[in-house]
Amino acid sequence: MTAGERAAEQSRLAGERAARLRRQAEQAERSARSWAAGAAGEVRVAAELRELEARGWRLLNDAHWPGRPKANLDHVLVGPGGILVVDAKNWTGRVELRNGRLTQNGYSRVRETTGVLEQGAAVAAVLEPRHRRLVQGWICLVNHPELRTESADGVRVVGLESLQFAVNILPPVLEPAEIDLVFHHLQQLLSGPASPALLNTAAVGLPGPRPDFSPEPAPAFAQESALHDSLAALAPTSTPSTATALFGGSSEATGPFAGQSTAAVPNGRPAKGRRRQQSGGSEKPSGRRRKGSGRRRSTSRNRRAEIARLIVLAVIVVALWTFAGNANRSSAVAPSTPQPPTVNSQTADQTP
């Protein structure tokens, strides 16, 4: 290492650290200015809305956002025209609607309009059903005093100087008694020490097993018994011994159940949930199975084998029944052998 090389490396690292801190400081300053401008805008909007109290409106500032403890609602206004959730914005530049969407300096502000709709939905969720339809979401632009428009998703966008006029022209939908009732209810919920919780679909998805309300399938032996009865009715020519041999009614089991006693195999099948014992009976299992896993695998395996067996048996019985029916029809319509005509001896002698 040459002289001064280590000091030069430390100087380079310190310069990079200083540049990173300067960028963070500039970002923090911009954020502080933005928050300060937003706070100033909320103060001006609150002053405009407070003048509406003389016309029967009630104002709630800086309220809790239901279901979101770290967020707030700028203004909630309750009056004759309904329940208004007003979000104050201190935007600069050109604000306009393009194809029904709010834009600022050409950039889409759909996120902001969607946020206002979510605020209104959260407030409506804590109200009675008859009052939920009266909730509206508004955006008040402090630096665009004369603006009055509405986005495609139903959000009113008004300027600061047009705010009172836009509120006063709303048609009356609430009586004074209802206004006081709704306002005191919202004041108690949204101005308390904590944000009220909302039960939504995210809270419903709790961990743990969910109950299974699907109907339990019928046992395989019951299905086979029903098929046995129906096929026996279709095949009258088959004897009871033939049907018994076809459907496994004998005392000896074949196939995957060979070698098992009839006591452990009711109707030719092993009992569900029982572990097959080995022939000696003295050897113990090497380890414990996980509860339910072996039973499910055994039940699924037995069910597949039973279904395959039923299909084969059904094909055999239908073939036998078809063959017997064809044989009966052929014997019924078989033509008789022609017999030579009989000649009377006396008549033959008198013939010239």
Side-chain angles (χ1 to χ4, degrees), residues 13-83:
L13 294 176
E16 293 178 355
R17 192 181 306 111
R20 184 170 59 253
L21 292 175
R22 280 194 297 269
R23 288 192 299 269
Q24 294 178 356
E26 293 174 357
Q27 184 178 1
E29 290 178 358
R30 288 194 299 268
S31 178
R33 288 194 297 267
S34 176
W35 281 104
E42 291 183 16
V43 171
R44 295 178 61 183
V45 172
E48 289 288 328
L49 295 177
R50 194 173 294 113
E51 296 182 3
L52 296 171
E53 293 180 349
R55 295 180 175 270
W57 290 85
R58 309 293 295 273
L59 179 62
L60 190 62
N61 296 315
D62 197 14
H64 290 300
W65 185 328
R68 296 183 60 177
K70 296 184 179 180
N72 74 311
L73 308 176
D74 291 346
H75 315 281
V76 178
L77 196 64
V78 182
I83 302 141

Coordinates of all heavy atoms in Angstrom, one line a residue, residues 13-83:
L13 N -15.1 7.4 0.9 CA -16.3 6.9 1.6 C -17.0 8.0 2.3 O -18.2 8.0 2.3 CB -15.8 5.8 2.5 CG -15.3 4.5 1.9 CD1 -14.8 3.5 3.0 CD2 -16.3 3.9 1.0
A14 N -16.2 8.9 2.9 CA -16.9 10.0 3.6 C -17.6 10.9 2.7 O -18.7 11.4 3.0 CB -15.8 10.8 4.4
G15 N -17.1 11.2 1.5 CA -17.8 12.0 0.5 C -19.1 11.3 0.0 O -20.1 12.0 -0.1
E16 N -19.1 10.0 -0.2 CA -20.3 9.3 -0.6 C -21.3 9.4 0.5 O -22.5 9.6 0.3 CB -20.0 7.9 -0.9 CG -19.1 7.7 -2.2 CD -18.8 6.2 -2.4 OE1 -19.2 5.4 -1.6 OE2 -18.2 5.9 -3.5
R17 N -20.9 9.2 1.8 CA -21.8 9.3 2.9 C -22.4 10.7 3.0 O -23.6 10.9 3.2 CB -21.1 9.0 4.2 CG -22.1 8.7 5.3 CD -21.3 8.4 6.6 NE -20.4 7.3 6.4 CZ -19.1 7.3 6.4 NH1 -18.5 8.5 6.6 NH2 -18.3 6.3 6.3
A18 N -21.6 11.7 2.8 CA -22.1 13.1 2.8 C -23.1 13.4 1.7 O -24.2 14.0 1.9 CB -20.9 14.1 2.8
A19 N -22.9 12.9 0.5 CA -23.8 13.0 -0.6 C -25.1 12.3 -0.3 O -26.2 12.9 -0.6 CB -23.2 12.5 -1.9
R20 N -25.0 11.1 0.3 CA -26.3 10.4 0.6 C -27.0 11.2 1.7 O -28.3 11.3 1.6 CB -25.9 9.0 1.1 CG -27.1 8.1 1.3 CD -26.7 6.7 1.6 NE -25.8 6.5 2.7 CZ -24.5 6.2 2.6 NH1 -23.9 6.1 1.4 NH2 -23.7 6.1 3.6
L21 N -26.4 11.7 2.6 CA -27.1 12.5 3.7 C -27.7 13.7 3.2 O -28.8 14.2 3.6 CB -26.1 12.8 4.8 CG -25.6 11.6 5.7 CD1 -24.6 12.0 6.7 CD2 -26.8 10.9 6.3
R22 N -27.0 14.4 2.2 CA -27.6 15.6 1.6 C -28.9 15.3 0.8 O -29.8 16.0 0.9 CB -26.6 16.3 0.7 CG -25.5 17.1 1.4 CD -24.8 18.0 0.4 NE -24.0 17.2 -0.6 CZ -22.8 16.8 -0.5 NH1 -22.1 17.1 0.6 NH2 -22.2 16.1 -1.4
R23 N -28.9 14.1 0.1 CA -30.1 13.7 -0.6 C -31.2 13.4 0.4 O -32.4 13.8 0.1 CB -29.8 12.5 -1.5 CG -28.9 12.8 -2.7 CD -29.0 11.6 -3.7 NE -28.4 10.4 -3.1 CZ -27.1 10.0 -3.1 NH1 -26.3 10.8 -3.8 NH2 -26.7 8.9 -2.6
Q24 N -30.9 12.8 1.4 CA -31.9 12.5 2.4 C -32.4 13.8 3.1 O -33.6 13.9 3.4 CB -31.4 11.5 3.5 CG -31.0 10.1 3.0 CD -30.4 9.3 4.1 OE1 -30.2 9.7 5.2 NE2 -30.2 8.0 3.7
A25 N -31.5 14.7 3.3 CA -31.9 16.0 3.9 C -32.8 16.8 3.0 O -33.9 17.3 3.4 CB -30.7 16.8 4.3
E26 N -32.5 16.7 1.7 CA -33.3 17.4 0.7 C -34.7 16.8 0.6 O -35.8 17.5 0.5 CB -32.7 17.4 -0.7 CG -31.4 18.3 -0.7 CD -30.7 18.2 -2.1 OE1 -31.2 17.4 -2.9 OE2 -29.7 18.8 -2.3
Q27 N -34.7 15.5 0.6 CA -36.0 14.8 0.6 C -36.9 15.1 1.8 O -38.1 15.3 1.8 CB -35.8 13.3 0.5 CG -37.1 12.4 0.3 CD -36.8 11.0 0.2 OE1 -35.6 10.5 0.1 NE2 -37.9 10.2 0.0
A28 N -36.2 15.1 3.0 CA -36.9 15.5 4.2 C -37.4 16.9 4.2 O -38.5 17.2 4.7 CB -36.0 15.3 5.4
E29 N -36.7 17.8 3.6 CA -37.2 19.2 3.5 C -38.4 19.3 2.6 O -39.3 20.0 2.9 CB -36.0 20.1 3.0 CG -34.9 20.3 4.0 CD -33.8 21.1 3.4 OE1 -33.9 21.5 2.2 OE2 -32.8 21.4 4.1
R30 N -38.3 18.6 1.4 CA -39.5 18.6 0.5 C -40.7 18.0 1.2 O -41.8 18.5 1.1 CB -39.2 17.8 -0.7 CG -38.2 18.5 -1.7 CD -38.2 17.9 -3.0 NE -37.8 16.5 -3.0 CZ -36.5 16.0 -3.1 NH1 -35.6 16.9 -3.3 NH2 -36.2 14.8 -3.0
S31 N -40.5 16.9 2.0 CA -41.6 16.3 2.7 C -42.2 17.3 3.7 O -43.4 17.4 3.9 CB -41.2 15.0 3.3 OG -42.2 14.4 4.1
A32 N -41.3 18.0 4.4 CA -41.7 18.9 5.5 C -42.5 20.1 4.8 O -43.6 20.5 5.3 CB -40.5 19.5 6.2
R33 N -42.0 20.5 3.7 CA -42.8 21.6 3.0 C -44.1 21.1 2.5 O -45.1 21.9 2.6 CB -42.0 22.2 1.8 CG -40.8 23.0 2.2 CD -40.2 23.8 1.0 NE -39.7 22.8 0.0 CZ -38.5 22.4 -0.1 NH1 -37.6 22.8 0.8 NH2 -38.1 21.6 -1.1
S34 N -44.2 19.9 2.0 CA -45.4 19.3 1.5 C -46.4 19.2 2.7 O -47.6 19.6 2.6 CB -45.2 18.0 0.9 OG -46.4 17.4 0.5
W35 N -46.0 18.7 3.8 CA -46.8 18.5 5.0 C -47.3 19.9 5.5 O -48.5 20.1 5.9 CB -46.2 17.8 6.1 CG -46.1 16.3 5.9 CD1 -45.1 15.5 5.5 CD2 -47.2 15.4 6.1 NE1 -45.5 14.2 5.4 CE2 -46.8 14.1 5.7 CE3 -48.6 15.5 6.5 CZ2 -47.6 13.0 5.8 CZ3 -49.4 14.4 6.5 CH2 -48.9 13.2 6.2
A36 N -46.4 20.9 5.5 CA -46.8 22.2 5.9 C -47.8 22.8 5.0 O -48.8 23.4 5.5 CB -45.5 23.1 6.0
A37 N -47.6 22.6 3.7 CA -48.6 23.2 2.7 C -50.0 22.5 2.9 O -51.0 23.1 2.9 CB -48.1 23.0 1.3
G38 N -49.9 21.1 3.1 CA -51.1 20.4 3.4 C -51.9 20.9 4.6 O -53.1 21.0 4.6
A39 N -51.1 21.1 5.7 CA -51.7 21.6 6.9 C -52.3 22.9 6.7 O -53.4 23.2 7.2 CB -50.7 21.6 8.0
A40 N -51.6 23.8 6.0 CA -52.2 25.1 5.7 C -53.4 25.0 4.9 O -54.4 25.8 5.1 CB -51.1 26.0 5.0
G41 N -53.5 24.1 3.9 CA -54.7 24.0 3.1 C -55.8 23.4 3.9 O -57.0 23.9 3.8
E42 N -55.6 22.5 4.8 CA -56.6 22.0 5.7 C -57.2 23.1 6.6 O -58.4 23.1 6.8 CB -56.1 20.8 6.5 CG -55.8 19.5 5.7 CD -55.3 18.4 6.6 OE1 -55.6 18.5 7.9 OE2 -54.7 17.5 6.1
V43 N -56.3 24.0 7.1 CA -56.8 25.1 7.9 C -57.8 26.0 7.1 O -58.8 26.4 7.6 CB -55.6 25.8 8.5 CG1 -56.1 27.1 9.2 CG2 -54.8 25.0 9.5
R44 N -57.4 26.3 5.9 CA -58.2 27.2 5.1 C -59.6 26.5 4.7 O -60.6 27.1 4.7 CB -57.5 27.6 3.8 CG -56.2 28.4 4.1 CD -55.5 28.7 2.8 NE -56.3 29.5 1.9 CZ -55.9 29.9 0.6 NH1 -54.7 29.5 0.2 NH2 -56.7 30.6 -0.1
V45 N -59.5 25.2 4.4 CA -60.8 24.5 4.1 C -61.6 24.4 5.3 O -62.9 24.6 5.2 CB -60.4 23.1 3.5 CG1 -61.7 22.3 3.3 CG2 -59.7 23.2 2.2
A46 N -61.1 24.1 6.5 CA -61.8 24.1 7.7 C -62.5 25.4 8.0 O -63.7 25.4 8.5 CB -61.0 23.6 8.9
A47 N -61.8 26.5 7.7 CA -62.4 27.8 7.9 C -63.6 28.0 7.0 O -64.6 28.6 7.4 CB -61.3 28.9 7.7
E48 N -63.5 27.6 5.8 CA -64.6 27.7 4.9 C -65.8 26.9 5.3 O -67.0 27.3 5.3 CB -64.2 27.4 3.4 CG -63.3 28.3 2.8 CD -64.0 29.6 2.4 OE1 -65.2 29.6 2.1 OE2 -63.4 30.7 2.4
L49 N -65.5 25.6 5.7 CA -66.6 24.7 6.1 C -67.3 25.2 7.5 O -68.5 24.9 7.7 CB -66.1 23.3 6.3 CG -65.6 22.7 5.0 CD1 -65.0 21.3 5.3 CD2 -66.7 22.5 4.0
R50 N -66.5 25.8 8.3 CA -67.0 26.3 9.6 C -68.1 27.3 9.4 O -69.1 27.4 10.2 CB -65.9 26.8 10.5 CG -66.3 26.9 11.9 CD -65.2 27.3 12.8 NE -64.2 26.2 12.8 CZ -63.0 26.2 12.3 NH1 -62.6 27.3 11.7 NH2 -62.2 25.2 12.4
E51 N -68.1 28.1 8.3 CA -69.1 29.1 8.1 C -70.4 28.5 7.7 O -71.5 29.2 7.7 CB -68.6 30.0 6.9 CG -67.4 30.8 7.3 CD -67.0 31.8 6.2 OE1 -67.7 31.8 5.2 OE2 -65.9 32.4 6.4
L52 N -70.4 27.2 7.3 CA -71.7 26.5 7.0 C -72.5 26.1 8.2 O -73.6 25.6 8.1 CB -71.4 25.3 6.1 CG -70.8 25.5 4.7 CD1 -70.3 24.2 4.1 CD2 -71.8 26.3 3.9
E53 N -71.9 26.2 9.4 CA -72.6 25.8 10.6 C -73.9 26.6 10.8 O -74.8 26.2 11.5 CB -71.7 25.9 11.8 CG -70.6 24.8 11.8 CD -69.7 24.9 13.0 OE1 -69.8 25.9 13.7 OE2 -68.8 24.0 13.2
A54 N -73.8 27.9 10.3 CA -75.0 28.7 10.4 C -76.2 28.2 9.6 O -77.4 28.5 9.9 CB -74.7 30.1 10.0
R55 N -76.0 27.3 8.7 CA -77.0 26.8 7.8 C -77.4 25.3 8.2 O -78.0 24.6 7.5 CB -76.6 26.8 6.4 CG -76.4 28.2 5.8 CD -76.0 28.1 4.3 NE -75.9 29.5 3.8 CZ -77.0 30.1 3.2 NH1 -78.1 29.5 3.1 NH2 -76.8 31.3 2.7
G56 N -77.0 24.9 9.4 CA -77.4 23.6 9.9 C -76.4 22.5 9.7 O -76.7 21.3 10.0
W57 N -75.2 22.8 9.3 CA -74.2 21.8 9.0 C -73.3 21.6 10.3 O -73.1 22.6 11.0 CB -73.3 22.2 7.9 CG -74.0 22.1 6.5 CD1 -74.8 23.0 6.0 CD2 -74.0 20.9 5.7 NE1 -75.3 22.6 4.8 CE2 -74.8 21.3 4.6 CE3 -73.4 19.7 5.7 CZ2 -75.1 20.4 3.5 CZ3 -73.7 18.8 4.6 CH2 -74.5 19.2 3.5
R58 N -72.8 20.4 10.5 CA -71.9 20.1 11.7 C -70.6 19.6 11.1 O -70.6 18.8 10.2 CB -72.5 19.1 12.6 CG -74.0 19.4 13.0 CD -74.0 20.6 13.9 NE -73.3 20.3 15.2 CZ -73.9 19.8 16.2 NH1 -75.2 19.4 16.2 NH2 -73.2 19.6 17.3
L59 N -69.5 20.1 11.7 CA -68.2 19.8 11.1 C -67.3 19.0 12.1 O -67.3 19.3 13.3 CB -67.5 21.2 10.8 CG -66.0 21.1 10.2 CD1 -66.0 20.3 8.9 CD2 -65.4 22.5 10.1
L60 N -66.6 18.1 11.5 CA -65.7 17.2 12.3 C -64.3 17.2 11.5 O -64.3 16.8 10.4 CB -66.2 15.8 12.4 CG -65.5 14.9 13.4 CD1 -65.6 15.4 14.8 CD2 -66.1 13.5 13.3
N61 N -63.2 17.8 12.2 CA -61.9 17.9 11.5 C -61.0 16.9 12.1 O -61.0 16.5 13.2 CB -61.4 19.3 11.8 CG -62.2 20.4 11.1 OD1 -62.6 20.3 10.0 ND2 -62.5 21.5 11.9
D62 N -60.1 16.4 11.2 CA -59.0 15.5 11.5 C -59.5 14.3 12.3 O -59.1 14.0 13.4 CB -57.9 16.3 12.4 CG -56.6 15.5 12.4 OD1 -56.4 14.6 11.6 OD2 -55.8 15.8 13.3
A63 N -60.4 13.6 11.7 CA -61.0 12.4 12.3 C -60.3 11.1 12.0 O -59.5 11.1 11.0 CB -62.5 12.3 11.8
H64 N -60.6 10.1 12.7 CA -60.0 8.8 12.5 C -60.6 8.2 11.2 O -61.8 8.4 10.9 CB -60.3 7.8 13.6 CG -59.5 8.2 14.9 ND1 -58.1 8.2 14.9 CD2 -60.0 8.5 16.1 CE1 -57.8 8.5 16.2 NE2 -58.9 8.7 16.9
W65 N -59.8 7.5 10.5 CA -60.2 6.7 9.3 C -60.6 5.3 9.8 O -59.8 4.6 10.3 CB -59.1 6.6 8.3 CG -59.5 5.9 7.0 CD1 -60.4 5.0 6.8 CD2 -58.9 6.2 5.7 NE1 -60.5 4.6 5.5 CE2 -59.6 5.4 4.8 CE3 -58.0 7.1 5.2 CZ2 -59.3 5.4 3.4 CZ3 -57.7 7.1 3.9 CH2 -58.3 6.3 3.0
P66 N -61.9 4.9 9.8 CA -62.3 3.6 10.4 C -61.5 2.5 9.7 O -61.5 2.4 8.5 CB -63.8 3.6 10.1 CG -64.2 5.0 10.0 CD -63.0 5.7 9.4
G67 N -60.9 1.6 10.5 CA -60.2 0.5 10.0 C -58.8 0.7 9.6 O -58.1 -0.2 9.3
R68 N -58.3 2.0 9.7 CA -56.9 2.3 9.3 C -56.4 3.2 10.4 O -56.5 4.5 10.4 CB -56.8 3.0 8.0 CG -57.3 2.1 6.8 CD -57.1 2.8 5.5 NE -55.8 3.2 5.2 CZ -55.3 3.7 4.1 NH1 -56.2 3.9 3.1 NH2 -54.1 4.0 3.9
P69 N -55.7 2.7 11.4 CA -55.3 3.4 12.6 C -54.3 4.5 12.3 O -54.2 5.5 13.0 CB -54.7 2.4 13.5 CG -55.3 1.1 13.1 CD -55.5 1.2 11.6
K70 N -53.5 4.4 11.2 CA -52.4 5.4 10.9 C -52.9 6.4 9.9 O -52.0 7.2 9.5 CB -51.2 4.6 10.4 CG -50.6 3.7 11.5 CD -49.3 3.1 10.9 CE -48.7 2.1 12.0 NZ -47.4 1.5 11.5
A71 N -54.1 6.4 9.5 CA -54.6 7.4 8.5 C -55.7 8.2 9.2 O -56.3 7.9 10.2 CB -55.1 6.7 7.3
N72 N -56.0 9.4 8.5 CA -57.0 10.3 9.1 C -57.9 10.8 7.9 O -57.5 10.7 6.8 CB -56.4 11.4 9.8 CG -55.7 12.4 8.9 OD1 -55.0 12.1 8.0 ND2 -56.0 13.7 9.1
L73 N -59.0 11.4 8.3 CA -59.9 12.0 7.4 C -59.8 13.5 7.7 O -59.9 14.0 8.8 CB -61.4 11.6 7.6 CG -61.6 10.1 7.6 CD1 -63.1 9.8 8.0 CD2 -61.3 9.5 6.3
D74 N -59.6 14.3 6.6 CA -59.4 15.8 6.8 C -60.6 16.4 7.4 O -60.6 17.1 8.4 CB -59.1 16.4 5.5 CG -57.7 16.0 5.0 OD1 -56.9 15.4 5.8 OD2 -57.4 16.2 3.8
H75 N -61.8 16.2 6.7 CA -63.0 16.9 7.2 C -64.2 15.9 6.9 O -64.3 15.3 5.9 CB -63.2 18.2 6.5 CG -62.0 19.0 6.4 ND1 -61.5 19.8 7.4 CD2 -61.2 19.2 5.3 CE1 -60.5 20.4 7.1 NE2 -60.2 20.1 5.8
V76 N -65.1 15.9 7.9 CA -66.4 15.2 7.8 C -67.5 16.2 8.1 O -67.5 16.7 9.2 CB -66.5 14.0 8.7 CG1 -67.8 13.3 8.6 CG2 -65.3 13.0 8.4
L77 N -68.4 16.4 7.1 CA -69.4 17.4 7.2 C -70.8 16.7 7.2 O -71.1 15.9 6.3 CB -69.3 18.4 6.0 CG -70.1 19.7 6.1 CD1 -69.5 20.5 7.3 CD2 -69.9 20.5 4.8
V78 N -71.6 17.0 8.2 CA -72.9 16.4 8.3 C -73.9 17.5 8.3 O -73.8 18.4 9.1 CB -73.1 15.5 9.6 CG1 -74.4 14.9 9.6 CG2 -72.0 14.5 9.6
G79 N -74.9 17.5 7.4 CA -75.9 18.5 7.3 C -77.1 18.1 6.5 O -77.3 16.9 6.2
P80 N -77.9 19.1 6.1 CA -79.1 18.8 5.4 C -78.9 18.1 4.1 O -79.7 17.3 3.6 CB -79.7 20.2 5.1 CG -79.1 21.1 6.2 CD -77.8 20.5 6.4
G81 N -77.7 18.3 3.4 CA -77.5 17.7 2.1 C -76.8 16.3 2.2 O -76.6 15.7 1.2
G82 N -76.6 15.8 3.4 CA -76.0 14.5 3.5 C -74.8 14.5 4.4 O -74.5 15.4 5.2
I83 N -73.9 13.5 4.1 CA -72.7 13.3 4.9 C -71.5 13.4 3.9 O -71.4 12.6 2.9 CB -72.6 12.0 5.6 CG1 -73.8 11.9 6.5 CG2 -71.3 11.8 6.3 CD1 -74.5 10.5 6.5

